[in-house]
C-alpha cells in the first residue's frame, strides 16, 4: 500500500449525506491492482494504490483509511479472554507443496485403512488435499481429489477464479462419496458429488452440480438404516452487505440510525460510496471490500436488524442475513435428492451473527447431534455450536452458547467433523487460526478435542 499522485479518474457522483460522513470514491485499474481517490466531503483527496485484489491488500487499504478518515478497520483482532481449552493441535504447517493455506474446513473419516483427511484448497491448482494417518499423530500427504487439470468440467478454475471449499468423504454402501463446493463458470457457488472405490480415488464426478444456486458446505450423514441424507448451507451472507451498501447510498439517513460509533458510520458511508464499483468486482473481492461494513453490523447486530425491519425497504437484506441449514434425503445412487428440503437450523442466537455453516451430524446415545460453525470466519468471533434432535431432519434444539470459541492460543475455531478416536470414543476435528491471523487463504491448523455426550448436552473433555 502506498500513496500515489493524481491520476485521470473516472467520475462517480457524490454521496449526499451529512458533511462529516460523506465520501466520494473514485477508482481505476493500475496493473494487477487498483488506484483509489478518496475524498471526505469538505476535506482533501487522498490517493491509494492496491497492488492486488487479495484480502491482505484490502486490510492494508482499510488501515490507511482508518488513519486518514477515522473509519473502522477491516477485522480488528484482539486477544480473547478466558482459560485455555482442552484442544490439541494435530497439524500446524503445510505438509505438501501443493497446499497453500493449511487445513481449513477439515473432514476426518475413519476407515479400516486408517484415517483420511480432506480440506479446502481455495484457488490452488490442485483441489482438495487428501492426507492419511494411522494414529492421528503422523500424517502423510496422499494426493489430491482433483489434481491440476482433472477438476470437474463444470467448475471454474484458475487463480483468483476458482473456490474449491469444504470437501468431505463418506462411506455409502461399498462406495466412497465426496461432496464439495465449487464455483460454476457463471460464478455461482454449487455443490458437487464424486465417487470412488477407495478414499484415494480416482474420483469420478457426476459431471454436473448436485445442487446449484449459491450453496456451500455439503455434509453426508448415513443413518443406521443406511439411508443417506445431505445437509448444506444457503450462502446468502455474501448477498446482504452489497445490498445494504446500496440501500444506504439511496437512503443515507439510515447510517446514523443504524450505527452509533463514528468509526462505524464512516465505514458504512465508505461502503455506500464505493458500492457502484464494488458491484463490478468478483464475489470474493466484494467480500473484502465490504468487510468493515460487515464488522460494523456485527458489532451492533440487534440494533441493525431492528432498524432494518422498521425501515420498510430492507426485506431482501433481512432475509439474506439468515443462512439456513437445509437437509434432504439422497437417492441411493447419490445422483439426485428425494422429496423436499427441510430447514433444520438457522442463525437465531446472538453469538452466531449473520451466519451459520459447516454442518456435521453424528449419532450418539441414540440421538442426532448437529455441529456447526457460526459468525464471521475471518475473526475471533467465529465459533462452533451444537444442536440435538431425535431424527436427522429435526427438529433440533441448540445449546445456547458456543461449544468452542477463540482462546488466547487459537482463534476462530470452525467447520467441525466428528470421528472415532483411537479408543473408539468420539473426537471433534476442526480448524483454527494462529493468534492475530485470519481470513481467506490464511493458514488454518488442524486441531482435535475429545467429546462427552450426555442427557443434558455435549461437552469438551
Amino acid at each position: 500500500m502506498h500513496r500515489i499522485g493524481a491520476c485521470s479518474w473516472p467520475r462517480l457522483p457524490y454521496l449526499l449525506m451529512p458533511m462529516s460522513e460523506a465520501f466520494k470514491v473514485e477508482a481505476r485499474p493500475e496493473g494487477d491492482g487498483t488506484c483509489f481517490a478518496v475524498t471526505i466531503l469538505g476535506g482533501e483527496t487522498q490517493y491509494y494504490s492496491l497492488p492486488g485484489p487479495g484480502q491482505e491488500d484490502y486490510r492494508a487499504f482499510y488501515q490507511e483509511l482508518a488513519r486518514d478518515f477515522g473509519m473502522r478497520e477491516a477485522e480488528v483482532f484482539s486477544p480473547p479472554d478466558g482459560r485455555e481449552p482442552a484442544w490439541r493441535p494435530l497439524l500446524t504447517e503445510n505438509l505438501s507443496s501443493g497446499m497453500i493455506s493449511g487445513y481449513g474446513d477439515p473432514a476426518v473419516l475413519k476407515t479400516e485403512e486408517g484415517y483420511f483427511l480432506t480440506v479446502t484448497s481455495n484457488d490452488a491448482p490442485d483441489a482438495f488435499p487428501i492426507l492419511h494417518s494411522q494414529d492421528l499423530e503422523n500424517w502423510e500427504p496422499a494426493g489430491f481429489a482433483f489434481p491440476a487439470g482433472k477438476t470437474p468440467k463444470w467448475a471454474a478454475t484458475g487463480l483468483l477464479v476458482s473456490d474449491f471449499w469444504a470437501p468431505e468423504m463418506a462411506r455409502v454402501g461399498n462406495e466412497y462419496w465426496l461432496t464439495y463446493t465449487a464455483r460454476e463458470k457463471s460464478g455461482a457457488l454449487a455443490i458437487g458429488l464424486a465417487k470412488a472405490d477407495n478414499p484415494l480415488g480416482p474420483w469420478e464426478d457426476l459431471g454436473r452440480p448436485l445442487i446449484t444456486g449459491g450453496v456451500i458446505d455439503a455434509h453426508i450423514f448415513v443413518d443406521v438404516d443406511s439411508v443417506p441424507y445431505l445437509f448444506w448451507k444457503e450462502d446468502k451472507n455474501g448477498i446482504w452487505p452489497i445490498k445494504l451498501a446500496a440501500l444506504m447510498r439511496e437512503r443515507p439517513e439510515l447510517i446514523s440510525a443504524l450505527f452509533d460509533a463514528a468509526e462505524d458510520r464512516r465505514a458504512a458511508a465508505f461502503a455506500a460510496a464505493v458500492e457502484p464499483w464494488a458491484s463490478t468486482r468478483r464475489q470474493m473481492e466484494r467480500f473484502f471490500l465490504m468487510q468493515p461494513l460487515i464488522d460494523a453490523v456485527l458489532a451492533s447486530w440487534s440494533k441493525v436488524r431492528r432498524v432494518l425491519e422498521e425501515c420498510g425497504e430492507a426485506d431482501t437484506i433481512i432475509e439474506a442475513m439468515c443462512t439456513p441449514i437445509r437437509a434432504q434425503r439422497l437417492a441411493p445412487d447419490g445422483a439426485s435428492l428425494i422429496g423436499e428440503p427441510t430447514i433444520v437450523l438457522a442463525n437465531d442466537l446472538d453469538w452466531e451473527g449473520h451466519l451459520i455453516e459447516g454442518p456435521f451430524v453424528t449419532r450418539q446415545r441414540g440421538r442426532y447431534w448437529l455441529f456447526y460453525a457460526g459468525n464471521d470466519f475471518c475473526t475471533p468471533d467465529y465459533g462452533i455450536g451444537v444442536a440435538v434432535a431425535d431424527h436427522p431432519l429435526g427438529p433440533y434444539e441448540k445449546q445456547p452458547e458456543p461449544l468452542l470459541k477463540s482462546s488466547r492460543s487459537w482463534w476462530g475455531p470452525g467447520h467441525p467433523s466428528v470421528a472415532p478416536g483411537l479408543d473408539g470414543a468420539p473426537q471433534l476435528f476442526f480448524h483454527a487460526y494462529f493468534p492475530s491471523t485470519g481470513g481467506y487463504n490464511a493458514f488454518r491448523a488442524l486441531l482435535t478435542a475429545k467429546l462427552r455426550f450426555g442427557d443434558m448436552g455435549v461437552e469438551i473433555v
Side-chain angles (χ1 to χ4, degrees):
M1 174 70 59
H2 61 277
R3 301 294 179 83
I4 60 173
C7 302
S8 176
W9 298 92
R11 296 295 172 186
L12 296 178
Y14 279 96
L15 179 65
L16 300 177
M17 316 175 44
M19 183 69 72
S20 63
E21 296 171 5
F23 284 97
K24 180 179 71 173
V25 180
E26 302 170 292
R28 69 170 180 81
E30 182 187 55
D32 294 330
T34 304
C35 294
F36 283 98
V38 180
T39 309
I40 195 165
L41 295 193
E44 292 185 1
T45 298
Q46 302 288 353
Y47 298 91
Y48 308 88
S49 179
L50 273 70
Q55 192 165 24
E56 290 303 318
D57 300 316
Y58 278 101
R59 280 182 179 148
F61 177 43
Y62 282 119
Q63 286 175 350
E64 294 276 340
L65 290 178
R67 184 190 67 193
D68 293 343
F69 297 106
M71 62 177 281
R72 174 186 277 268
E73 295 181 36
E75 302 149 17
V76 179
F77 298 121
S78 59
D81 296 325
R83 65 181 181 85
E84 290 295 279
W87 308 347
R88 186 162 60 90
L90 297 177
L91 289 168
T92 57
E93 61 182 14
N94 287 321
L95 296 186
S96 167
S97 60
M99 299 179 67
I100 62 173
S101 53
Y103 307 94
D105 310 323
V108 173
L109 175 68
K110 186 177 184 181
T111 73
E112 295 178 354
E113 292 77 35
Y115 294 89
F116 290 89
L117 166 69
T118 52
V119 298
T120 279
S121 55
N122 292 335
D123 58 352
D126 299 299
F128 304 136
I130 300 173
L131 295 96
H132 177 256
S133 176
Q134 292 289 355
D135 58 9
L136 293 177
E137 299 289 343
N138 301 289
W139 294 85
E140 294 292 335
F144 297 86
F146 302 126
K150 295 186 178 180
T151 51
K153 295 186 183 301
W154 60 265
T157 59
L159 185 66
L160 302 178
V161 174
S162 63
D163 283 307
F164 288 98
W165 296 343
E168 181 189 301
M169 295 182 197
R171 179 72 182 265
V172 185
N174 295 321
E175 296 179 315
Y176 289 91
W177 293 2
L178 178 80
T179 54
Y180 61 92
T181 300
R183 288 199 185 274
E184 296 182 81
K185 293 179 180 178
S186 66
L189 287 168
I191 289 168
L193 188 143
K195 300 180 182 180
D197 293 331
N198 68 76
L200 298 181
W203 293 94
E204 183 177 352
D205 185 72
L206 291 177
R208 55 174 171 78
L210 180 63
I211 309 176
T212 62
V215 289
I216 67 170
D217 290 356
H219 159 66
I220 294 175
F221 171 73
V222 182
D223 205 356
V224 291
D225 58 3
S226 299
V227 172
Y229 294 85
L230 187 74
F231 292 73
W232 71 93
K233 170 210 170 184
E234 289 189 36
D235 194 50
K236 296 188 294 183
N237 53 281
I239 298 173
W240 69 259
I242 202 76
K243 287 184 174 292
L244 178 57
L247 178 62
M248 294 186 300
R249 187 176 180 84
E250 295 174 2
R251 292 190 54 186
E253 74 278 5
L254 279 174
I255 292 176
S256 59
L258 290 165
F259 305 104
D260 294 327
E263 65 173 9
D264 290 342
R265 292 197 300 268
R266 292 195 174 191
F270 180 84
V274 82
E275 179 270 330
W277 185 79
S279 295
T280 69
R281 314 309 292 171
R282 65 183 287 263
Q283 289 170 325
M284 284 307 300
E285 192 175 354
R286 288 184 210 171
F287 167 70
F288 305 152
L289 269 161
M290 294 291 118
Q291 189 66 54
L293 174 62
I294 295 169
D295 294 345
V297 167
L298 291 175
S300 303
W301 180 243
S302 297
K303 179 180 182 180
V304 167
R305 285 185 57 86
R306 175 177 55 79
V307 172
L308 290 176
E309 287 168 357
E310 294 172 352
C311 87
E313 298 178 32
D315 289 348
T316 60
I317 296 171
I318 295 168
E319 196 270 338
M321 286 177 165
C322 177
T323 59
I325 302 294
R326 296 185 183 270
Q328 194 170 347
R329 281 188 60 177
L330 268 168
D333 63 358
S336 62
L337 295 161
I338 297 173
E340 295 297 323
T342 298
I343 295 178
V344 295
L345 221 59
N347 51 313
D348 53 14
L349 299 176
D350 284 346
W351 78 263
E352 297 165 344
H354 66 130
L355 67 86
I356 57 173
E357 58 191 9
F360 190 99
V361 176
T362 179
R363 190 174 189 270
Q364 306 287 339
R365 295 173 61 94
R367 305 189 78 191
Y368 300 88
W369 303 80
L370 195 164
F371 293 81
Y372 64 94
N375 215 293
D376 194 314
F377 85 99
C378 290
T379 74
D381 294 325
Y382 202 54
I384 292 174
V386 64
V388 64
D390 294 317
H391 187 276
L393 296 180
Y396 282 89
E397 181 180 356
K398 291 179 181 176
Q399 293 186 185
E401 298 297 329
L403 181 68
L404 277 73
K405 56 185 180 181
S406 293
S407 70
R408 292 188 301 275
S409 298
W410 296 103
W411 290 15
H415 208 106
S417 63
V418 178
L422 296 175
D423 60 359
Q427 284 186 216
L428 188 70
F429 298 87
F430 55 97
H431 69 236
Y433 297 106
F434 289 115
S436 301
T437 66
Y440 184 78
N441 267 341
F443 181 87
R444 289 181 279 189
L446 173 69
L447 293 94
T448 190
K450 293 188 176 182
L451 298 171
R452 178 189 294 141
F453 293 87
D455 294 336
M456 302 302 293
V458 61
E459 59 182 347
I460 302 294
V461 296

